[in-house]
Amino acid sequence: MAHPIPEVDGILTAEQVAQTAASIAAMQEPSGAVPWTPGDKVDVWNHVEAAMAMLVGGEVEAAERAYEWVLQTQRPDGSWPMKIVEGTVEDASGETNMSAYLAVGVWHHWLVRRDRAFVDRYWPCVRAGLDWVVSLQLPSGGIAWSQEWVDGRPGRINTDALVAGSSSIHHALAAGCALAELVGDPQPEWEFAGARLAHALREHRDLFLDKSEFSMDWYYPVLGGAVRGAAADALFEEKWDVFVEDGLGIRCVRENPWVTGAETCELVMSLEANGDRERALRLFADMQHLRHENGSYWTGWVFPDQVNWPGEQTTYTAAAVILAADQLSRATPGSDIMRGETLVTFGDLGARCGCGSADSRFVAGIS
C-alpha cells in the first residue's frame, strides 16, 4: 500500500525526504540492524525510530528487515541488549525505555500500512517487552532505567528513574494499550502503570534523577504525551532561552555551545503536538543547516568554532527529521504517532497519591 512521502512547504521537498530515508537504508547492516553510523552501535530505540522513518520515506523493504531484526534479537525476559556492535553484544544491560519502544513502532506501522498480519506477528514481542518494563516500575511511579546482565542472566536493577526515559515509556504504554485494544488482548496492568507514570511525570518530576542539564529532560514529558496544554506551554517557557539558539536549533547539553539535529526535531514534534505550529516550523527550518548533500544529517554543530561535531551523519538524526516532516505535513496516517490522537489516554491517579495536585483535586471531585 503506497502512501505519500512527506514534504514541508518551503523547507523540505518529498524528494529530499526520500533521499534522507535512502541515506538511512544505505547504513543498514545485512542483518537488518540500523547502527548509529556504519560500524557503530545499535540500540533498539534508535533502531526502531529508524525503521519508522524508513517506512515513511518509502524504504518499505528496509523497514521490514529492521523490524525482523528486532524480533530475532529479543531476549526471553522481553528485553534487548543496550549495545550491539556488528552483531556482538558489547553491553548486555537492558534499558527500559529502549525495550518499550517497539510498541510505538508497531502502532506506527499499523497506522501507515494497516497490515494486521504484521501486528499479529509482533504483538507477542511487544507484550513481552512492556511486561518486562512494567515489572520495573518504582513506588514513585517512574520506571527504573535499566537492569544489568551478568553471565547471561538478569542482575542488579538500577533503580533511578529518568524523566526522558520514563516519558518515552509513557508513550510506549499508550501505543501498547492501543495495540492491545486492536488485537483484543486487554492489558489493564499497563493502563494502571501508565496512569501512575503519567501522574509522576506531571506532578513529581523532582523524584526522578536530575538530568536537567540535558534538553531531553526538558521537553520529553510533552513529546511522550504525559504533559500537554497549558502545562506544556509553561514547561516550554521555563527553559526556552536556556536551550534554543535562534537560527540554529537547540542545545543538547545546557553548558555546551553545540546544537543537535535530533533534539531539535524532537522539540519540533513536541511543539506541534501541543498546537505551537509556528515555532515548530521555525525550528525545523533552522536545523536544516545540518543537511548533507547526500540527504543525511550531521549530528550537530559547535557554533563558536563553526564546525560540525562529531564528524558524522547519524541515522537517528535523519530519522527524527523524517518523522518531524511527516508530523508537520500530515502526509501519512503515521504522522499522529507523536501527537497521540490515536493512542490510549490514561486516567489520572492523583486522588490516590494524595499530593494535593490539581489533578488530585479534579479526580477527587468526580469520583
Side-chain angles (χ1 to χ4, degrees), residues 68-217:
E68 186 65 26
W69 179 89
V70 174
L71 195 66
Q72 300 303 321
T73 52
Q74 188 179 36
R75 295 186 292 211
D77 70 346
S79 70
W80 283 266
M82 191 180 296
K83 180 179 180 182
I84 301 174
V85 178
E86 296 184 322
T88 299
V89 174
E90 293 200 354
D91 187 342
S93 302
E95 188 167 339
T96 49
N97 75 295
M98 291 182 182
S99 296
Y101 205 58
L102 177 62
V104 176
V106 173
W107 183 250
H108 177 263
H109 192 283
W110 166 251
L111 293 177
V112 176
R113 303 284 289 177
R114 295 288 165 170
D115 182 348
R116 181 56 191 270
F118 180 92
V119 173
D120 290 343
R121 176 168 170 74
Y122 284 88
W123 171 244
C125 194
V126 169
R127 188 175 57 204
L130 287 179
D131 280 345
W132 177 72
V133 168
V134 167
S135 76
L136 296 180
Q137 190 164 36
L138 303 170
S140 66
I143 308 291
W145 80 273
S146 70
Q147 184 173 29
E148 297 175 2
W149 272 61
V150 180
D151 298 327
R153 297 177 61 84
R156 184 176 70 89
I157 296 170
N158 296 308
T159 56
D160 289 317
L162 305 176
V163 168
S166 288
S167 296
S168 180
I169 291 167
H170 176 273
H171 186 206
L173 285 168
C177 288
L179 287 166
E181 288 185 1
L182 176 65
V183 303
D185 186 8
Q187 302 294 318
E189 67 278 14
W190 298 355
E191 295 179 26
F192 184 62
R196 291 182 60 211
L197 180 55
H199 181 74
L201 289 166
R202 282 194 285 266
E203 302 295 339
H204 302 294
R205 289 192 292 274
D206 58 308
L207 299 180
F208 292 79
L209 191 65
D210 182 9
K211 292 286 184 180
S212 56
E213 70 271 26
F214 294 95
S215 59
M216 291 176 68
D217 209 63

Side-chain angles (χ1 to χ4, degrees), residues 259-275:
V259 295
T260 49
E263 281 80 359
T264 301
C265 287
E266 287 179 338
L267 179 56
V268 166
M269 291 186 278
S270 304
L271 288 163
E272 199 281 338
N274 205 53

Side-chain angles (χ1 to χ4, degrees), residues 298-328:
W298 297 98
T299 301
W301 173 258
V302 181
F303 45 89
D305 299 332
Q306 300 285 289
V307 64
N308 290 114
W309 184 88
E312 59 192 21
Q313 299 92 46
T314 39
T315 54
Y316 62 80
T317 304
V321 171
I322 293 173
L323 294 179
D326 195 27
Q327 185 171 329
L328 289 167

